[in-house]
Amino acid sequence: MTVMGIDLAARERKASGVCLLRGKRVKTLLLHTDDELVALAKQVRPALIAIDAPLSLPPDRKSIHDRTGTHLRPCDRELLKRGIRFFPVTLGAMRSLTERGIRLKERLQAEGFRVVEVFPGGAQDVLGLPRKHHNLDGLRKGLRRLGLRGIPDDATHDELDAVTAAYVGWLFLRGKAEVLGEEGDGIIMPLPSPFIAVKPKQRAR
């Protein structure tokens, strides 16, 4: 059973990190376009696709360009309650990422794939891993301590977030993750783990 993790870039000219996770064996790569991502999914036929990008809008907004509604979704409010930092879907460049994420989700679902939203930075907080911007090598080592094999020494930060995304999807399929909000418009987060791979450094405010 394969899980596909995608650390989606806001625009196609920038590479998106991709991870194919079979069991705990990792393969990472970088792709640019939605066509490339959909083609890979159709080739691999993963059981689940976990995307690091907002895949839904706040409930009272009809489009990302609607500026009259709220900025937060129910799942975002739950992240706030748990002290997990994130960028709202309506903020600056996040609007482009949200627009692309929703479009890609709809394409993949039309092909019959099960697609969920994940948040690697928040998942790394729960799992005791440092976020990529604070300690990239520590994140790589922490993912390996979780038992993930095949992570390249030169994996980019986008690829490591894609590995995290795939791992959260892997946990979800095994009943070891939860949905904040509803699965169709919520975020999948790992349940608190009895093992902590790496103690995260204090995050800057």
Side-chain angles (χ1 to χ4, degrees):
M1 182 169 58
T2 300
V3 177
M4 182 175 176
I6 303 174
D7 178 33
L8 192 66
R11 301 188 185 280
E12 292 188 339
R13 63 175 177 266
K14 184 179 182 298
S16 295
V18 180
C19 172
L20 301 176
L21 183 61
R22 297 182 176 94
K24 285 197 171 183
R25 172 63 62 178
V26 164
K27 178 181 179 181
T28 65
L29 63 155
L30 296 169
L31 296 175
H32 284 83
T33 69
D34 291 352
D35 288 345
E36 291 173 325
L37 293 167
V38 173
L40 179 62
K42 290 170 71 173
Q43 175 187 342
V44 175
R45 305 304 304 181
L48 184 72
I49 300 176
I51 301 180
D52 174 21
L55 303 183
S56 64
L57 297 172
D60 58 350
R61 286 181 181 252
K62 295 181 180 179
S63 79
I64 195 62
H65 304 290
D66 174 11
R67 297 177 181 271
T68 62
T70 59
H71 295 279
L72 299 178
R73 304 170 295 170
C75 54
D76 299 327
R77 296 184 188 281
E78 185 60 34
L79 289 177
L80 283 178
K81 290 179 184 177
R82 300 182 184 202
I84 295 174
R85 298 171 59 202
F86 64 95
F87 291 109
V89 302
T90 57
L91 180 66
M94 288 297 293
R95 295 205 301 270
S96 297
L97 179 60
T98 301
E99 202 166 30
R100 185 182 182 190
I102 292 172
R103 183 174 65 246
L104 179 61
K105 178 189 74 171
E106 290 173 349
R107 283 191 62 180
L108 290 168
Q109 288 180 332
E111 296 287 346
F113 294 108
R114 186 181 185 187
V115 182
V116 296
E117 178 180 338
V118 294
F119 176 29
Q124 289 152 7
D125 293 349
V126 173
L127 294 169
L129 306 175
R131 295 198 187 190
K132 61 187 180 185
H133 295 304
H134 297 285
N135 186 351
L136 188 64
D137 189 55
L139 175 56
R140 181 183 296 106
K141 291 177 179 177
L143 290 168
R144 287 171 174 167
R145 288 174 186 169
L146 293 174
L148 300 175
R149 304 184 301 276
I151 300 174
D153 291 337
D154 60 350
T156 67
H157 60 85
D158 300 310
E159 289 173 290
L160 292 182
D161 267 2
V163 172
T164 307
Y167 181 65
V168 172
W170 183 87
L171 291 174
F172 179 61
L173 291 178
R174 286 157 179 77
K176 297 180 180 179
E178 60 181 328
V179 184
L180 306 188
E182 299 295 329
E183 183 176 336
D185 58 4
I187 297 175
I188 306 299
M189 290 288 287
L191 293 170
S193 176
F195 52 89
I196 298 298
V198 176
K199 184 177 181 180
K201 293 183 177 180
Q202 182 68 35
R203 294 188 295 279
R205 294 186 181 275

